[in-house]
Amino acid sequence: MEYRKLNGSGLFVPALTLGTGTFGGSHGFENWGHAGVSEATRMVDMCLDVGLNMFDTADMYSRGLAEEILGKAIVGKRNRLLIATKGTFPMGESRNMEGSSRFHLIEACEASLRRLGTDHIDLYYIHGFDRNTPVEETLRALDDLVTSGKVRYIGCSNFSGWQLMKSLSISERSNWSRYVAHQVYYSLLNRDFEWELMPLALDQQVGTIVWSPLAAGRLGGRYRRTNPIPQDGRVARGGAPVRDNVISYDRLYNIVDVLDEISAETGKTVAQIALNWLLQRPTISSLVIGASSEEQLVQNLKAVDWSLTAEQLRRLDVASNTPKPYPYWHQDQRPELSSQVY
């Protein structure tokens, strides 16, 4: 397994991370997966055997059950792996059981530690930006968690550019721990991340962790023009974090056409090629892969330790390219003002 430096820190993480959204299967995650302790333990062992030692979860996945299952699956192995989890989203009916306030974050972190059965979290994310809480309050609470030793590094997820930049600026001015990772949605099918968040990550040395790198299974190799996504399938039932209304299925099938061509050339699967393309993009530290079965996990693990050619990358870039919104298309008219190529 390839290891990459998490930009802005001294931590090295594997190029692939195992996501645990399929652990549990309750409280809104019924259509994601139903892995229990036994299956989760086997998956953890399979990952460790090939050097994948980072596991991504969140308190809201199956309302804490995913963390509990992961905690039981790693008993006796804690010193061999990295745990990333998240707080912010609602965990109960009380108004104070959500958000990024000091009150909620400290309580949420303590609860995650108990469920995971560990004394520290290696990477703790703010799951989404909370406009109701001052950024200073959130960052000071996170810095206190780091100082206490309960959290090693902090990251954010699903932030816009100004939200991340404001947070980094406040951390710098206050000499508090800063976000070293941004977990984002990015795939061949949706490349919005490249317009503002990628340049920001390059400039500010923030590592990118990608969730749903296969566009919620749409780039997994199962679907194409001759076998479209079923109207009553997992995606339609809500078992996907990437909504249908941000997807162009014409673009999807155009991309899959090129993926099929490259699959025939390389002997790699469509999913492996889509993952490998991402691994060659700037700022990418790790891809969070999910697996509803052990066979799917085995296949996804084979996306590393090889590289697409420059010509193959170009073909995928062309097939997946989309027009940029303002002001990015206007800025592109003056390439002499930008020294960064991505």
Side-chain angles (χ1 to χ4, degrees):
M1 177 64 61
E2 175 191 359
Y3 287 81
R4 299 180 172 199
K5 189 172 181 288
L6 191 58
N7 289 342
S9 78
L11 184 68
F12 284 82
V13 297
L16 299 179
T17 294
L18 182 67
T20 65
T22 58
F23 290 8
S26 66
H27 293 85
F29 286 80
E30 290 81 0
N31 293 315
W32 288 51
H34 298 85
V37 175
S38 178
E39 186 176 1
T41 301
R42 289 196 300 273
M43 288 186 177
V44 167
D45 289 341
M46 290 168 62
C47 289
L48 291 176
D49 285 345
V50 298
L52 190 163
N53 70 340
M54 188 166 176
F55 301 88
D56 181 271
T57 189
D59 58 0
M60 56 91 67
Y61 293 169
S62 294
R63 192 62 68 85
L65 183 56
E67 286 184 326
E68 290 181 18
I69 292 172
L70 178 61
K72 293 175 181 177
I74 63 172
V75 170
K77 311 161 191 170
R78 180 64 182 93
N79 64 336
R80 299 174 56 194
L81 51 86
L82 302 170
I83 294 177
T85 192
K86 314 174 193 74
T88 300
F89 291 159
M91 286 296 287
E93 300 305 319
S94 168
R95 190 65 180 83
N96 284 318
M97 294 183 73
E98 64 182 32
S100 298
S101 67
R102 166 178 287 274
F103 182 94
H104 178 62
L105 283 182
I106 292 177
E107 187 161 299
C109 183
E110 295 281 4
S112 288
L113 288 167
R114 289 193 297 270
R115 286 189 291 264
L116 290 163
T118 185
D119 63 355
H120 72 278
I121 293 164
D122 299 292
L123 178 56
Y124 191 63
Y125 291 102
I126 297 300
H127 211 157
F129 188 77
D130 176 12
R131 292 174 182 263
N132 297 312
T133 301
V135 175
E136 292 85 353
E137 178 179 342
T138 298
L139 292 170
R140 178 57 193 270
L142 290 172
D143 188 68
D144 286 347
L145 288 171
V146 173
T147 302
S148 71
K150 294 175 181 178
V151 169
R152 299 287 167 83
Y153 297 93
I154 59 171
C156 59
S157 184
N158 307 308
F159 276 33
S160 64
W162 74 265
Q163 292 163 352
L164 177 52
M165 194 63 239
K166 180 177 181 178
S167 299
L168 293 171
S169 176
I170 290 172
S171 290
E172 182 177 357
R173 293 201 310 270
S174 304
N175 198 29
W176 293 335
S177 299
R178 75 193 297 270
Y179 294 135
V180 298
H182 189 195
Q183 189 168 136
V184 305
Y185 169 56
Y186 181 31
S187 75
L188 269 169
L189 189 54
N190 295 101
R191 295 175 57 180
D192 301 355
F193 167 73
E194 297 174 5
W195 300 338
E196 180 162 307
L197 293 172
M198 181 183 283
L200 191 161
L202 284 165
D203 182 72
Q204 295 296 310
Q205 289 294 293
V206 177
T208 301
I209 311 288
V210 178
W211 61 262
S212 207
L214 295 178
R218 295 176 180 88
L219 292 167
R222 180 178 177 184
Y223 307 115
R224 48 188 40 82
R225 297 180 199 280
T226 55
N227 184 38
I229 292 180
Q231 296 300 307
D232 59 349
R234 178 178 67 91
V235 173
R237 295 195 309 269
V242 182
R243 299 175 301 172
D244 236 13
N245 64 352
V246 300
I247 300 298
S248 163
Y249 279 90
D250 283 339
R251 283 192 68 249
L252 170 62
Y253 299 136
N254 288 338
I255 293 168
V256 172
D257 286 344
V258 179
L259 287 169
D260 281 337
E261 294 173 3
I262 297 175
S263 177
E265 296 167 8
T266 61
K268 305 295 184 181
T269 69
V270 163
Q272 290 164 1
I273 295 166
L275 293 173
N276 196 270
W277 178 85
L278 277 172
L279 287 171
Q280 298 190 56
R281 304 298 293 163
T283 78
I284 304 302
S285 296
S286 189
L287 310 180
V288 180
I289 58 171
S292 57
S293 67
E294 292 180 26
E295 174 57 29
Q296 187 180 45
L297 175 58
V298 168
Q299 290 301 314
N300 286 342
L301 289 173
K302 295 179 181 178
V304 296
D305 299 325
W306 60 278
S307 296
L308 294 163
T309 67
E311 193 272 338
Q312 290 166 339
L313 290 171
R314 183 196 62 77
R315 285 154 59 191
L316 289 169
D317 289 346
V318 170
S320 61
N321 189 47
T322 52
K324 295 181 180 180
Y326 176 83
Y328 309 108
W329 61 258
H330 193 275
Q331 294 170 358
D332 283 350
Q333 295 176 3
R334 293 291 180 266
E336 66 274 10
L337 299 180
S338 174
S339 61
Q340 294 177 333
V341 179
Y342 48 85

